[in-house]
Amino acid sequence: MNSSAEILPFRIEIPQADLNDLNDRLAATRWPDELPGVGWSYGVPAGYAKKLAEHWRTGFDWRAAEAQLNAFPQFTTEIDGQNIHFLHVRSPEPDALPLILTHGWPGSVAEFMKIIGPLTDPSAHGGDPSDAFHVVAPSIPGFGFSGPTTETGWNMRRVAGAWAKLMDRLGYRRYGAQGGDSGAVISPMLGLAAPRNVVGVHVNGGLGFPTGDPAEFEGLTPAELARLGQYQDQDRAGYAIIQATRPQTLAFGLHDSPAAQLAWIVEKFKEWTDPARELPEDAVDIDQMLTDVSIYWFTGTAASAARFYKEEQKSWGSATEYSALPHGVAVFPGDPGVRRIAEREHHIVHWSEFDRGGHFPAMEAPDLLVEDIRAFFRLVR
């Protein structure tokens, strides 16, 4: 094996000096003013951000979170000139199906902490051992411990190609793919990149984008029409437009101020989690959310994660080739999945809609997500 194909063990060990620096910066934050009575409509309220930042500074235990993450075997390897970090948790069941999980922005491998155990060892979590998976969960290039990227061109298609190489390097010739957010685009692309290896693709959230043809809207239910309406909601798209056009300018604030990085990410947890929950921490565990934010901060990947949108923006609106691989979709509240749209470019064999959870189901409703992943892959194992 040549050195570039080596798989090296990895542990997260953030220097104490970095924790002290975070504490000092949070304590010295220069807070912005805000208008009275506007709630979240102008962005994250300063009063809310102050409280959350104080919890991050004095209540959140990074070392405990670090130990939780380090309980999962982790590795790095170089693919296509880029360092790739990944969790690799093998099941005790010898016939387990390999499964590659892909996060998105502003996510990380920390999203998966509640689902890796049930997926890899179902019998220890009240499940059927025949549903077991060997889980591979990489950090997208430019994100967290796979960052930063050092050249242009790292778009979703290139990531999917890197995932195919990673699974091949791990010796997995037959495997499944699952993802949400950007992972719900990368996972189907992986199926197209390695159709002889991928047995099926499961995503949470939307799959495919509407073309604007009025015929797409005919006969849809009110709920489906509401989901499609999200694609036209410019109020929610500001973050993406900034990251897709001027990621470097944005990054000066995010990279230098933990309060800015916190607000930039937590706003998405407010907007994308279960609409029935008022605050982000009502939907997700507050310390798991701060673990995610901390990964961006400690790895200094605000810029390279934002660049991911710039790289992908070139392909926005372009046609996607049809995938005949079996696909399963789990739609959680607030996400825009519509079966008719998904079926235009994907062979859908499994479709579920849930009334709790949201855009981060591995954190919000891990029980529902795990069962849906199991149900889909029973069809293709």
Side-chain angles (χ1 to χ4, degrees), residues 178-196:
Q178 200 284 329
D181 193 83
S182 300
V185 182
I186 293 167
S187 299
M189 284 181 173
L190 173 56
L192 289 169
R196 295 181 180 176

Side-chain angles (χ1 to χ4, degrees), residues 16-285:
Q16 185 59 41
D18 291 5
L19 272 68
N20 297 344
D21 176 66
L22 170 62
N23 186 301
D24 293 345
R25 287 170 184 263
L26 286 171
T29 299
R30 197 171 78 139
W31 297 101
D33 75 306
E34 60 183 332
L35 295 170
V38 298
W40 287 74
S41 64
Y42 280 64
V44 180
Y48 176 79
K50 284 180 187 177
K51 277 193 271 189
L52 192 58
E54 187 60 16
H55 178 72
W56 193 13
R57 191 176 77 85
T58 63
F60 172 69
D61 183 348
W62 166 256
R63 292 299 184 207
E66 191 176 64
Q68 273 187 294
L69 288 165
N70 282 331
F72 301 115
Q74 295 170 71
F75 304 88
T76 59
T77 193
E78 185 183 306
I79 297 176
D80 197 9
Q82 175 65 34
N83 174 64
I84 304 291
H85 161 263
F86 61 99
L87 312 184
H88 185 198
V89 187
R90 287 187 58 84
S91 171
E93 305 297 334
D95 296 328
L97 176 70
L99 178 67
I100 183 164
L101 301 176
T102 307
H103 65 84
W105 183 91
S108 66
V109 294
E111 277 183 60
F112 303 131
M113 290 195 289
K114 291 180 178 176
I115 66 172
I116 290 174
L119 289 174
T120 56
D121 194 0
S123 57
H125 296 82
D128 184 335
S130 66
D131 285 326
F133 299 93
H134 300 306
V135 167
V136 179
S139 299
I140 294 173
F143 289 69
F145 302 102
S146 285
T149 43
T150 57
E151 61 181 357
T152 60
W154 273 104
N155 60 9
M156 294 193 197
R157 194 167 298 279
R158 188 172 175 183
V159 173
W163 282 189
K165 291 175 186 173
L166 174 62
M167 295 303 273
D168 184 64
R169 191 171 292 178
L170 292 173
Y172 292 139
R173 303 290 177 261
R174 184 176 182 276
Y175 53 88
Q178 200 284 329
D181 193 83
S182 300
V185 182
I186 293 167
S187 299
M189 284 181 173
L190 173 56
L192 289 169
R196 295 181 180 176
N197 307 103
V198 177
V199 300
V201 176
H202 181 279
V203 305
N204 49 277
L207 193 60
F209 296 90
T211 62
D213 181 349
E216 285 181 330
F217 294 82
E218 290 175 10
L220 293 181
T221 67
E224 288 174 325
L225 287 169
R227 286 187 214 139
L228 275 189
Q230 292 186 45
Y231 289 109
Q232 281 78 49
D233 187 352
Q234 292 300 307
D235 192 55
R236 290 163 63 100
Y239 80 95
I241 303 303
I242 294 173
Q243 295 197 146
T245 55
R246 297 294 182 268
Q248 190 62 41
T249 306
L250 169 71
F252 288 99
L254 302 186
H255 188 84
D256 188 58
S257 166
Q261 180 71 90
L262 178 68
W264 190 244
I265 288 179
V266 166
E267 183 190 83
K268 298 305 140 213
F269 278 92
K270 162 65 175 174
E271 293 194 346
W272 296 349
T273 49
D274 190 335
R277 308 290 183 176
E278 185 183 353
L279 294 172
E281 62 267 31
D282 298 331
V284 300
D285 178 83

